[in-house]
Amino acid sequence: MALDTRTGRRPSFAATLWGSTVGKKTVMAVSGLIMLLYLVVHMIGNLKIFFGAAEFNHYAHWLRVVGEPFMHEEWTLWLVRVVLLAAVLAHATSAYQLSRRDIKARPGKYVHRKPRSSYATRTMRWGGIILGLFLVWHLLDLTTGTVHAGFRPGHPYQNVVDTFSTWYGNVIYLMAMLALGLHIRHGFWSAAQTLGVGSRARDRALKTTANALALVLTVGFVSVPVAVMTGVVS
């Protein structure tokens, strides 16, 4: 292991791992899987809106008191938020640094055109930016109510209905969920390859799983604004 020229010391294993391309891809894969697990749970929770206001509001309240009395009110919720924030920052940072490293490695245009990649692959970077911006808007809309004119604290069901009763709320959400589906479709398969799960024998199964996850999550999330728009949820 080479010495760090700035400190004269050997870099730690963590620093060496983070400095390598493999390390950054591993961080990106693990953080992506953490966020994927959260999305599955979050989607299931969202679908409770189809059981009425009382059921949905009770679920939202339960999120704030889960773990009591061992955990104080909202402690578990904040713990989840911290883990998710760390995953988002790690994912975004590793993605950005890998992108910059890739650009520096090939500053000129290819002499021969590269084989055409899938649409999901070509939109991963822009999709990540779209999802990052959406996350900020989503929190300001339904968590803090900063950009939600009729926001009512303690009434999550009505807040969701209000948001999806506006054309811009639906457009922003639907566009973001389509980007999410494409991101998951490519990201899940890439994470499997990075973590050494992929192989020729498993590729078809992994791609099928990636497509199924992307489809289920997209349809699950999109079903809520569609239900509000069509009057199924009101």
Side-chain angles (χ1 to χ4, degrees), residues 38-39 42-47 49-50 56 130-131 133-135 137-139 141-142 159-160 163-181 216-229:
Y38 168 78
L39 286 170
H42 187 46
M43 181 201 69
I44 293 172
N46 281 4
L47 295 179
I49 201 167
F50 289 100
F56 190 74
I130 290 171
L131 291 172
L133 293 174
F134 167 75
L135 178 60
W137 177 84
H138 193 53
L139 291 173
D141 179 41
L142 291 175
N159 291 334
V160 170
T163 287
F164 296 131
S165 296
T166 62
W167 69 267
Y168 57 86
N170 287 314
V171 170
I172 292 173
Y173 195 86
L174 292 175
M175 291 290 289
M177 292 307 100
L178 292 176
L180 177 66
V216 169
L217 285 169
T218 301
V219 172
F221 281 119
V222 165
S223 66
V224 177
V226 170
V228 175
M229 284 188 285

Side-chain angles (χ1 to χ4, degrees), residues 37 40 114 229:
L37 176 61
V40 171
K114 293 182 68 179
M229 284 188 285

Side-chain angles (χ1 to χ4, degrees), residues 63-191:
L63 290 176
R64 298 179 179 279
V65 299
V66 63
E68 288 188 342
F70 178 73
M71 299 290 280
H72 190 65
E73 183 177 346
E74 292 196 12
W75 278 13
T76 302
L77 183 59
W78 274 105
L79 180 61
V80 172
R81 286 170 174 169
V82 169
V83 172
L84 280 174
L85 178 61
V88 169
L89 292 176
H91 197 77
T93 301
S94 55
Y96 174 76
Q97 293 184 357
L98 284 169
S99 177
R100 298 302 302 171
R101 184 171 291 185
D102 185 48
I103 292 173
K104 289 181 180 180
R106 48 179 179 82
K109 293 183 178 180
Y110 288 104
V111 176
H112 301 289
R113 186 178 294 275
K114 293 182 68 179
R116 188 174 180 80
S117 56
S118 69
Y119 184 75
T121 303
R122 288 183 283 117
T123 56
M124 280 295 285
R125 291 172 186 170
W126 281 111
I129 293 173
I130 290 171
L131 291 172
L133 293 174
F134 167 75
L135 178 60
V136 173
W137 177 84
H138 193 53
L139 291 173
L140 293 176
D141 179 41
L142 291 175
T143 299
T144 67
T146 306
V147 298
H148 190 143
F151 185 79
R152 299 173 61 190
H155 295 80
Y157 180 92
Q158 192 58 50
N159 291 334
V160 170
V161 173
D162 286 347
T163 287
F164 296 131
S165 296
T166 62
W167 69 267
Y168 57 86
N170 287 314
V171 170
I172 292 173
Y173 195 86
L174 292 175
M175 291 290 289
M177 292 307 100
L178 292 176
L180 177 66
L182 291 173
H183 209 76
I184 291 172
R185 180 174 177 268
H186 177 72
F188 180 83
W189 185 83
S190 295

Side-chain angles (χ1 to χ4, degrees), residues 1 9-18:
M1 185 181 294
R9 300 177 180 176
R10 295 184 184 279
S12 65
F13 174 76
T16 301
L17 182 65
W18 175 248

